[in-house]
Amino acid sequence: MTKLSDLLRKLSIQLQENGLWESKEPTEEQLNSPEPFSLDRLSPEQWLQWIFIPKMQVLTEEKGQIPNGFSIAPYFEECWKELPNLSDVIATIKEIDKLCQ
C-alpha cells in the first residue's frame, strides 16, 4: 500500500515537472465520460491527474486495498510514442501496473 502511494506521488510530480499538470479541473461532463480513459473528453494526462490518481489514492488510503488486474501502460506508450521526454512517466506507470498485477 505504501509503495503504491509513493508511486502515485511520484507520478504526480513527474506530470508537474513535464508541464502536464493543470490547475483548472475539467467540467463534470468531461469527467463523466463513458469511454475508457475518457479518451473522448480528456487528454491522457488529464485522465491521470483527475481520475486515475485520485481514485487510486482513495482506494489505497481508505480501503487499504491495492486494486489489481489492470494494465494501463500500453495506452500511454501509444499516446506518447512521439514524446521521448515522457519515458520517465511511462516507466512509473509501468511500475504501478506491475505492482497491481
Side-chain angles (χ1 to χ4, degrees):
M1 182 170 51
T2 302
K3 175 73 172 165
L4 182 56
S5 295
D6 291 345
L7 287 171
L8 293 170
R9 251 188 311 283
K10 180 179 177 181
L11 180 58
S12 298
I13 290 167
Q14 289 172 325
L15 290 171
Q16 291 169 37
E17 290 174 345
N18 283 284
L20 300 175
W21 197 260
E22 297 182 349
S23 58
K24 185 179 179 205
E25 186 174 355
T27 66
E28 195 66 34
E29 180 182 346
Q30 290 172 297
L31 293 172
N32 288 320
S33 168
E35 296 294 321
F37 301 102
S38 301
L39 59 86
D40 62 331
R41 299 179 189 172
L42 297 176
S43 66
E45 57 271 14
Q46 286 176 314
W47 183 82
L48 285 171
Q49 178 182 352
W50 300 106
I51 296 178
F52 181 74
I53 293 171
K55 285 186 179 183
M56 292 296 282
Q57 286 172 329
V58 167
L59 289 172
T60 58
E61 292 167 7
E62 292 183 4
K63 297 181 180 178
Q65 201 172 356
I66 296 177
N68 59 25
F70 65 85
S71 180
I72 63 171
Y75 171 70
F76 292 95
E77 288 174 313
E78 180 62 27
C79 290
W80 295 334
K81 65 184 173 192
E82 305 288 328
L83 302 170
N85 59 308
L86 297 181
S87 61
D88 60 332
V89 180
I90 292 171
T92 301
I93 293 169
K94 286 180 178 179
E95 285 184 72
I96 292 169
D97 281 354
K98 186 176 179 182
L99 183 63
C100 294
Q101 288 304 308

